[in-house]
Amino acid sequence: MTTTTTKPADERYEIGVRDASGRYPVTVDGQPGGDIHRFHGEWYARPHGHTEESRHDDRHKAAAHLADLVDSGAIDPAATPAKTPAAAQGIVPWLSPRLKPTRRNILSAGIALARVAELAWLPEDEDGNTTGYPGSDNPWMLKCLLSGHYVMRWWSHLRGRNGDNTPRPEYRHKGCIDFEDQAGKVAALVGEPPISCPCREVTHPTTAEDVKQLLARAERARKADDADTLRTLLTQLLAPCPASSARAESMKTFLPKPKPKN
């Protein structure tokens, strides 16, 4: 049934608090309208009771879209809410399927995955699924290896900024172990990482030359739509390895150089 109202959309919807999956619930006229979330600067709206999403320029346009759907009768407030899907996995689980396996995304993912390991975080959700690197400014579900808690974090916060690689906030998360014990426990958990790959089944690159060769092969496989070859190469470049820190240091040499300040 179509709802008739004279109120403007921005007076009818209310955006709630972000949940553990990074989504904001939206009510329209006090009834469930769906949820919205942000990814790479754009906003996506998922109607209540549905699984499909639509893209919008900002949060308010996304929420207003849900109000329009209520008016059209496309949303039934009494319907069962759509389940937030488990962490989706693309060609490999260590890179979000929403990110193309381009050279830059592979490098960013390898560096981020190594750093979260150094900080005693595990990219995993509450169901035990690996959560792929989602990009620097998107929420990333991680498991704190100090407390066992699952927390949404942003890589842009974990990596630090302006040459200071101190993660923000310095206190890891609410409910974690005492702050003064954190550094010691991280050091004990992580230990001294090796500089070469000790893995038996897969050889992961740790030198710049090896990284360069694998990146070139991965780009050729991506352009040729050769998923099997690409999967093998991404496993070498991104899969967990005790020497992931050395791999990441070599990857950093291929990032664009910062522009000199005037």
Side-chain angles (χ1 to χ4, degrees), residues 115 154-168:
R115 183 59 177 153
W154 279 257
W155 168 235
S156 58
H157 295 178
L158 286 171
R159 71 184 177 188
R161 59 183 177 181
N162 299 329
D164 179 0
N165 65 352
T166 302
R168 296 176 286 124

Side-chain angles (χ1 to χ4, degrees), residues 87-89 92-97 113 123 130-135 139-140:
Q89 295 184 351
V92 292
W94 309 286
L95 183 68
S96 168
L113 289 162
T130 297
T131 53
Y133 169 73
W140 191 2

Side-chain angles (χ1 to χ4, degrees), residues 45-221:
R46 181 178 64 173
H48 178 74
H50 297 256
T51 57
E52 74 277 5
E53 298 177 344
S54 56
R55 186 171 63 184
H56 305 273
D57 292 336
D58 60 48
R59 67 165 62 197
H60 295 289
K61 289 180 180 178
H65 175 69
L66 296 177
D68 291 340
L69 291 179
V70 168
D71 291 345
S72 73
I75 294 178
D76 178 6
T80 301
K83 273 192 172 184
T84 299
Q89 295 184 351
I91 190 167
V92 292
W94 309 286
L95 183 68
S96 168
R98 301 181 77 164
L99 295 182
K100 293 181 180 179
T102 60
R103 176 188 175 98
R104 180 58 186 265
N105 285 339
I106 293 169
L107 290 171
S108 296
I111 292 166
L113 289 162
R115 183 59 177 153
V116 297
E118 292 171 353
L119 296 171
W121 293 95
L122 181 66
E124 181 183 281
D125 65 18
E126 294 178 351
D127 295 320
N129 301 306
T130 297
T131 53
Y133 169 73
S136 62
D137 290 314
N138 297 302
W140 191 2
M141 178 67 81
L142 300 171
K143 179 181 181 180
C144 174
L145 296 180
L146 303 191
S147 66
H149 286 66
Y150 291 88
V151 186
M152 297 296 292
R153 298 298 305 272
W154 279 257
W155 168 235
S156 58
H157 295 178
L158 286 171
R159 71 184 177 188
R161 59 183 177 181
N162 299 329
D164 179 0
N165 65 352
T166 302
R168 296 176 286 124
E170 289 189 49
Y171 181 72
R172 293 169 69 94
H173 64 85
K174 184 178 180 180
C176 196
I177 65 173
D178 291 340
F179 179 74
E180 56 270 21
D181 298 330
Q182 291 180 8
K185 189 163 184 183
V186 168
L189 281 172
V190 174
E192 187 65 30
I195 60 173
S196 59
C197 172
C199 303
R200 293 184 178 181
E201 294 184 5
V202 178
T203 301
H204 303 99
T206 54
T207 68
E209 183 58 34
D210 288 342
V211 168
K212 179 180 179 181
Q213 291 182 18
L214 290 175
L215 285 172
R217 291 172 59 194
E219 184 65 9
R220 290 195 295 270

